[in-house]
Amino acid sequence: KKKSSAKAAGAASPSKSGGSSKDLPASAGYLISCDVPTKQYIQYLNELKTVDKKFIIEDLDATHLLVKKKAREEIERKVEAWMDENVFSAVERVGEDLDLA
């Protein structure tokens, strides 16, 4: 499974981003760089929030989001827990003589 390029498997990268179409200062948020499923999960988390608590500032492309600075730790924690829930151990009984008749 491809992990996010950011620290802690899907967490916001420490690189600050500016220059969004909303002309936000560089310290306004964090750039998250992750795979598509992780981005979709982060968008899902954002949708669960009330309008005043939403944390996505801008959806940049298929693998990048600009999020509010204060939401970084929450996103990191929830994405890490989500990934832990979805990690599958090696298939058991591989090579066993299975009756395929």
Side-chain angles (χ1 to χ4, degrees):
K1 179 170 180 161
K2 181 181 175 188
K3 287 193 175 185
S4 158
S5 65
K7 182 181 131 198
S13 101
S15 62
K16 294 177 183 174
S17 179
S20 77
S21 62
K22 297 177 183 174
D23 295 323
L24 296 169
S27 62
Y30 280 91
L31 175 66
I32 295 179
S33 178
C34 55
D35 60 11
V36 173
T38 302
K39 180 184 171 199
Q40 290 173 343
Y41 180 70
I42 293 168
Q43 290 172 314
Y44 165 75
L45 293 175
N46 190 60
E47 289 303 312
L48 294 177
K49 301 282 187 183
T50 58
V51 174
D52 61 320
K53 303 279 187 197
K54 291 193 185 290
F55 52 78
I56 293 178
I57 297 171
E58 191 160 342
D59 185 343
L60 302 171
D61 62 28
T63 58
H64 295 91
L65 290 167
L66 184 63
V67 299
K68 291 180 181 175
K69 199 173 183 180
K70 65 184 179 181
R72 179 177 178 251
E73 286 183 26
E74 176 187 358
I75 295 167
E76 185 174 319
R77 188 176 59 252
K78 289 186 175 181
V79 168
E80 192 169 314
W82 172 71
M83 286 190 152
D84 287 347
E85 289 173 16
N86 291 296
V87 171
F88 300 99
S89 58
V91 178
E92 294 180 21
R93 300 171 32 184
V94 171
E96 212 173 273
D97 186 20
L98 301 174
D99 182 15
L100 300 175

